[in-house]
Amino acid sequence: MTNTDVRQAQFLDSLYDYDRERPGQVPGVVDLLGERYDPNDEHVWRGIVRDLDYQGLIKLAETMGFDGTRAMITGSGRRDVEARRARRADFTQRNPLVRRAVIRYVYANSPAPDLTPMLETYHFEGEPLTRRDLDTALQYLLDKGLVHGVDVAEEILIHIRLTDRGIDCAENFGGSVGEFLNHERGGGGNTTVNFHGPVTGSNVAWNSREITQTATTTSSGLAGDELASLVGAIRQALPVLGLDNAEVTRLGGQLDVIEGELEGDEPDPGVVRSVMRRVLSKIGEVGETQLGLLLTVGTRRLLEEAGIPLGQ
């Protein structure tokens, strides 16, 4: 996550907790931030809360002076926080990303005296990593022969370096331990996943290093299940679009927001439009893959038919 992403997530967390403790009250942004607020960063925070408002996650009441600006979390914002907190507690998602972060950190800082600096600078879903996160990851990497160092006490390793296998994992697999180990086990074959609904016939080579995808889109008018199917198709495609694991997780959270909106009795078109625009923008940043382009075209077409075009 970028520093901006972390600040957005933490601000939403604070607003969510405030709303539960003081329902009906609308806090000032500066008061809510407390010690995190630095007047020198006012322009940064103003941009952050405006972006959250644009995404439909908060309702913002701005004043000329930033210290008078107030914010209220929306239903979409609450769902975003709840989905992110569920992911934080899901160690099947958390542990692989922490291991990847440790591999990349040690690669960039070898020999790393220890992993303590990661507690200040690394986050999972906007939450700082814990000592438990790092100890668990380091033990796993040690057991798999990806790191080594000086063992000074039980479960304490200093002057940490990557082994040759660890360097291979970092340089050829971006630090993804799961992909590296799967490659070692010979799991480089193709797996076919069929996308249903408005995007069909998509052959996705999940593990292959050389990927060819095809997809066809259908246009049959607006239906909530079609939009939901399309969101599901995008979610399945994320791992093969060239995104790193952190971005896959982040975009998955944004898709959660869209799905939550679509499940409501009266979906907010503005929320669907703004969040989907951000998802497609990120997909476009990693390169114009054939599958990414086709998903983008299919999404734009379906939303246009729904009366909520994404625009340029």
Side-chain angles (χ1 to χ4, degrees), residues 140-160:
Y140 183 91
L141 297 174
L142 189 63
D143 291 343
K144 295 298 183 182
L146 299 177
V147 301
H148 63 88
V150 178
D151 190 353
V152 296
E154 185 177 357
E155 297 185 353
I156 297 179
L157 197 69
I158 62 173
H159 302 306
I160 307 161

Side-chain angles (χ1 to χ4, degrees), residues 63-280:
T63 60
M64 290 294 292
F66 190 60
D67 56 356
T69 297
R70 296 181 174 274
M72 177 177 66
I73 195 166
T74 65
S76 294
R78 283 189 289 271
R79 285 190 291 270
D80 181 82
V81 171
E82 290 163 2
R84 183 167 50 255
R85 289 184 174 182
R87 291 192 297 275
R88 287 173 180 166
D90 183 356
F91 288 100
T92 64
Q93 296 186 55
R94 187 181 187 106
N95 287 343
L97 292 179
V98 176
R99 294 168 195 154
R100 178 178 181 273
V102 171
I103 287 284
R104 293 169 69 93
Y105 176 80
V106 175
Y107 180 82
N109 297 278
S110 184
D114 58 35
L115 301 181
T116 299
M118 294 185 69
L119 297 173
E120 299 293 330
T121 57
Y122 283 76
H123 298 77
F124 176 68
E125 293 290 344
E127 181 179 68
L129 297 186
T130 66
R131 178 62 67 181
R132 177 191 178 281
D133 288 327
L134 299 179
D135 289 346
T136 300
L138 194 57
Q139 186 61 54
Y140 183 91
L141 297 174
L142 189 63
D143 291 343
K144 295 298 183 182
L146 299 177
V147 301
H148 63 88
V150 178
D151 190 353
V152 296
E154 185 177 357
E155 297 185 353
I156 297 179
L157 197 69
I158 62 173
H159 302 306
I160 307 161
R161 298 176 182 268
L162 297 182
T163 64
D164 289 344
R165 294 172 66 245
I167 293 173
D168 187 27
C169 176
E171 293 182 345
N172 298 318
F173 297 86
S176 174
V177 177
E179 286 189 22
F180 171 76
L181 295 177
N182 187 54
H183 176 75
E184 281 197 329
R185 290 190 291 264
N190 291 350
T191 299
T192 299
V193 177
N194 292 317
F195 295 158
H196 302 287
V199 180
T200 60
S202 300
N203 297 319
V204 181
W206 292 106
N207 296 315
S208 175
R209 306 300 289 179
E210 296 181 1
I211 300 171
T212 301
Q213 298 100 355
T214 60
T216 58
T217 61
T218 65
S219 176
S220 57
L222 172 61
D225 58 347
E226 286 188 346
L227 283 171
S229 295
L230 182 58
V231 171
I234 295 173
R235 187 187 300 279
Q236 291 184 60
L238 290 178
V240 297
L241 292 176
L243 298 158
D244 61 32
N245 289 341
E247 286 294 352
V248 169
T249 300
R250 178 171 176 267
L251 293 183
Q254 294 181 344
L255 293 175
D256 287 340
V257 173
I258 297 173
E259 287 179 330
E261 198 64 39
L262 294 175
E263 290 171 0
D265 294 334
E266 296 183 2
D268 187 333
V271 173
V272 175
R273 177 189 296 112
S274 62
V275 179
M276 186 63 82
R277 184 185 289 124
R278 291 171 64 84
V279 170
L280 296 182

